[in-house]
Amino acid sequence: MDELAIKKIVKKVIEEIGLRDRHWRTVPIEASARHVHLSMDDVERLFGEGHRLTPARDLSQPGQFLCQERVTILGPKGLFKNVAILGPERKETQAEISRTDAFSLGIDAPVRESGKIEKSPSIYLSVGKNMIRAEKGAIVAKRHVHMTPENALDYGLKDQQIVAVKVFSDRPIIFEDVLVRVHDQYSLHMHIDLDEANACGFYEGMKGQILVEEEVKRC
């Protein structure tokens, strides 16, 4: 078989996979461990005046990165050392933890969309001898799907829509109350925390199917 014929076959397979993914509203799934987002002021309070977060590895969402720096989270009942910081710096500091983490820390963290931290518990963060108290910001991140406007058009969805996601694994589960977030700088991925990851038997490369209300009722 010549090279041209092979390229045609590969192209056809890719097109068929794309059609299938649009039909099934397929979404890659990622598990997010506990992590912190820091404001510019809090970066300097923890690491020193003029310090800027140092990228260590790019994340799936464009412009987002894992930092070389780490931080300790402290609560009334416990602490977590060596917690990841995700950059770039944000307007306000927040800690995204699981429900299990919240129990271990001794705080009642609400389920919230990232960035919506009003009336959430305060949290202590430390690096070496430096310690700060964020007046608010401890949340359990609401499970959500990032997608571009093109993805949303293909899937027949819209920003802030609530959907369900059926997970393809040996521990099949349907996650309900999943928030759709649409932006031209996003990459198509669903994010769940480690409690949710354990519940569905998460593995790298896992995918799911986005279900709308009518499809959920048939399940």
Side-chain angles (χ1 to χ4, degrees):
M1 185 177 295
D2 61 31
E3 184 177 352
L4 181 59
I6 292 174
K7 287 182 178 179
K8 287 182 178 180
I9 292 172
V10 170
K11 181 180 179 181
K12 183 178 180 181
V13 170
I14 291 173
E15 289 174 347
E16 289 178 350
I17 291 173
L19 289 171
R20 181 203 64 192
D21 285 349
R22 286 196 291 274
H23 176 73
W24 287 93
R25 301 191 196 93
T26 304
V27 59
I29 300 174
E30 293 181 329
S32 289
R34 68 182 75 99
H35 62 272
V36 170
H37 298 280
L38 295 175
S39 68
M40 191 78 74
D41 286 346
D42 286 344
V43 169
E44 294 191 340
R45 291 167 67 192
L46 287 169
F47 295 99
E49 185 176 351
H51 188 92
R52 295 296 177 264
L53 295 174
T54 310
R57 174 173 58 83
D58 289 338
L59 301 176
S60 63
Q61 297 307 306
Q64 305 294 304
F65 55 86
L66 175 68
C67 302
Q68 292 182 10
E69 296 86 352
R70 295 280 169 145
V71 69
T72 297
I73 299 177
L74 303 97
K77 292 185 178 179
L79 58 83
F80 293 114
K81 297 181 179 180
N82 200 37
V83 177
I85 301 172
L86 303 188
E89 294 84 355
R90 288 198 175 185
K91 181 180 179 181
E92 294 184 285
T93 291
Q94 71 178 43
E96 296 186 25
I97 58 178
S98 70
R99 184 70 74 186
T100 299
D101 290 342
F103 291 151
S104 297
L105 291 170
I107 60 176
D108 184 16
V111 178
R112 295 280 183 80
E113 180 181 353
S114 181
K116 296 186 177 180
I117 60 175
E118 290 302 319
K119 297 182 180 179
S120 59
S122 61
I123 197 79
Y124 286 90
L125 305 173
S126 71
V127 175
K129 295 181 180 180
N130 297 328
M131 180 180 290
I132 65 171
R133 179 179 183 269
E135 296 297 326
K136 56 187 176 182
I139 64 170
V140 176
K142 184 181 181 69
R143 47 185 174 256
H144 58 279
V145 176
H146 292 282
M147 63 176 61
T148 65
E150 291 76 16
N151 297 140
L153 183 63
D154 283 342
Y155 288 5
L157 302 173
K158 60 184 178 180
D159 187 43
Q160 298 299 302
Q161 184 172 347
I162 300 298
V163 298
V165 176
K166 182 178 181 179
V167 176
F168 303 139
S169 75
D170 58 1
R171 299 187 71 185
I173 190 172
I174 295 177
F175 286 117
E176 298 188 48
D177 196 29
V178 180
L179 178 68
V180 174
R181 303 179 63 185
V182 180
H183 194 281
D184 59 8
Q185 293 300 310
Y186 285 161
S187 173
L188 181 64
H189 285 87
M190 178 183 181
H191 286 162
I192 58 177
D193 67 24
L194 292 190
D195 285 349
E196 294 162 331
N198 288 332
C200 68
F202 176 80
Y203 59 87
E204 291 294 331
M206 172 178 280
K207 292 187 177 183
Q209 178 188 6
I210 299 174
L211 305 174
V212 295
E213 185 177 359
E214 295 77 12
E215 293 166 326
V216 175
K217 290 178 180 178
R218 294 198 296 266
C219 291

